[in-house]
Amino acid sequence: MKKIFTLFLFSAFMGLNAQETANRFFYELTFKPKKDSAKLDKVMMILDITKDKSIYRDYTLVAQDSILKIQVDQMQKAGVFKDLSKSITMPKFSEKVYKFYPGMKVQYVERISSGFTPMNIGYNDDTKFDWKISNEKAKIGTYNTQKATTEFGGRKWNAWFTSDIPLQDGPYKFNGLPGLIVKVEDEAKNYSWELKGNKKVPNFNETTYIETISPGGSGGKVQEVSREKFDKTFTEFKKDPFASTRPLLKPEMLAQKMPGSDTTIGDMVKQQEKMLKDFFSANNNPIEIPATPAKVKK
């Protein structure tokens, strides 16, 4: 019995110590969402780095995770529906970019719907950045940096990295320099990321609370497809986010009211559809410029 009890304590101790700590780097992203407008927008993005991978994403929902949990718990206890989209700040970007160490496999992920169930689709990007490192140096914030240039996604990029942080990583898909990227921007300044700080995140969990409770579970499993299939699938989803759900929404279901509310399921679907279409139409100036298909000579 003593041996069993000791084994139980050892297992519990190991379980506690299995909790991972991440290094979270905060990048302020200044970007131009519309091609035909000079107006700039800003959002905070994060790069969470663990021992075996990094995750890049919009910080907006992550920052509100505990607030969302409280609101959902209150809804469940009261049995009353509440439209959370009216009380939270929505993100500017929906993608996640994973980089798996040590090989630096890059996986780009978006979330779409399959009927009532959200699902993650992603593709592997095998781009090898051809960096040209110059002798130019600059002090950016508290970091001593050195300049490097490359071409990627139809744009020319200038980056500044610091060898003081020996991580060959950076925001979005950028990687491969001998130090963490502190700042990177395209020459026309459509997109510009700048490192603003970092902190340790103990007991790190890459899945947010909302992803955990959404249909489909943990929110982490990714269906990998080719880049071509991804682009086609995601483009179709953006045009009609409820295409796969609409056939399942029978009239009697749409007429039902949400618990403790005068809002019907039909009303909620319309609101969600508008919110998604507004979200996707807010930016027509992507980070990577889509390649124009070559014209076939007649």
Side-chain angles (χ1 to χ4, degrees):
M1 180 63 72
K2 184 177 180 181
K3 288 182 179 180
I4 294 173
F5 182 67
T6 303
L7 180 62
F8 171 77
L9 288 178
F10 176 76
S11 300
F13 175 77
M14 291 302 292
L16 289 171
N17 281 272
Q19 293 289 338
E20 201 166 20
T21 296
N23 287 308
R24 174 166 291 170
F25 294 88
F26 294 87
Y27 286 90
E28 183 179 70
L29 170 58
T30 303
F31 65 103
K32 189 170 80 169
K34 294 291 185 180
K35 295 177 185 177
D36 55 355
S37 173
K39 184 180 179 182
L40 296 173
D41 203 348
K42 287 187 179 184
V43 65
M44 190 63 72
M45 309 297 292
I46 53 173
L47 181 70
D48 290 329
I49 296 181
T50 66
K51 60 180 175 58
D52 57 358
K53 65 183 173 184
S54 68
I55 309 162
Y56 164 87
R57 53 187 160 167
D58 193 317
Y59 183 54
T60 308
L61 283 183
V62 178
Q64 300 171 92
D65 211 39
S66 58
I67 297 173
L68 289 172
K69 185 178 187 308
I70 291 171
Q71 293 190 349
V72 171
D73 288 345
Q74 289 174 344
M75 283 170 53
Q76 291 174 336
K77 289 177 182 178
V80 176
F81 169 76
K82 181 181 179 182
D83 186 359
L84 295 180
S85 65
K86 295 179 180 179
S87 59
I88 63 173
T89 303
M90 300 305 292
K92 303 285 185 182
F93 296 90
S94 55
E95 76 270 12
K96 291 182 182 179
V97 179
Y98 294 85
K99 301 187 194 85
F100 297 93
Y101 305 149
M104 270 303 183
K105 170 188 168 183
V106 177
Q107 185 186 64
Y108 183 98
V109 178
E110 286 279 10
R111 183 167 260 210
I112 63 172
S113 294
S114 177
F116 292 122
T117 305
M119 64 178 291
N120 296 317
I121 62 168
Y123 66 86
N124 294 331
D125 191 328
D126 57 2
T127 299
K128 299 300 180 185
F129 289 92
D130 183 19
W131 293 107
K132 303 290 190 295
I133 299 176
S134 76
N135 293 322
E136 186 177 341
K137 297 183 179 181
K139 185 88 169 181
I140 300 178
T142 59
Y143 305 99
N144 296 310
T145 70
Q146 188 169 348
K147 186 179 180 180
T149 60
T150 193
E151 292 188 19
F152 166 70
R155 302 184 191 274
K156 294 181 179 179
W157 299 89
N158 297 317
W160 290 261
F161 67 94
T162 178
S163 55
D164 294 338
I165 304 177
L167 298 169
Q168 297 185 17
D169 212 330
Y172 192 59
K173 297 177 181 178
F174 296 104
N175 70 86
L177 283 166
L180 186 70
I181 295 173
V182 171
K183 184 175 181 178
V184 58
E185 61 186 13
D186 69 290
E187 285 192 342
K189 292 182 169 50
N190 288 276
Y191 284 86
S192 177
W193 290 264
E194 185 172 336
L195 183 61
K196 293 298 183 180
N198 68 286
K199 72 173 186 177
K200 298 281 189 182
V201 181
N203 303 321
F204 173 69
N205 187 347
E206 68 182 73
T207 307
T208 63
Y209 173 70
I210 288 298
E211 289 173 327
T212 302
I213 65 171
S214 67
S218 67
K221 188 176 180 181
V222 177
Q223 180 182 330
E224 287 190 358
V225 296
S226 67
R227 176 71 181 266
E228 293 74 21
K229 185 173 181 180
F230 175 92
D231 289 340
K232 183 176 183 296
T233 302
F234 195 58
T235 297
E236 290 173 352
F237 174 71
K238 289 189 290 185
K239 288 180 180 177
D240 189 359
F242 279 81
S244 65
T245 308
R246 197 172 292 109
L248 306 176
L249 296 169
K250 305 304 179 184
E252 58 271 20
M253 180 188 298
L254 293 171
Q256 291 179 13
K257 292 185 177 181
M258 300 301 293
S261 172
D262 289 331
T263 302
T264 66
I265 292 177
D267 293 333
M268 185 184 68
V269 169
K270 289 179 182 177
Q271 292 169 9
Q272 293 292 315
E273 189 167 16
K274 182 180 184 305
M275 182 183 72
L276 284 171
K277 286 185 175 180
D278 289 347
F279 174 81
F280 291 126
S281 65
N283 189 331
N284 69 354
N285 185 29
I287 297 170
E288 298 177 55
I289 301 172
T292 303
K295 291 183 178 180
V296 179
K297 294 182 179 179
K298 294 183 180 181

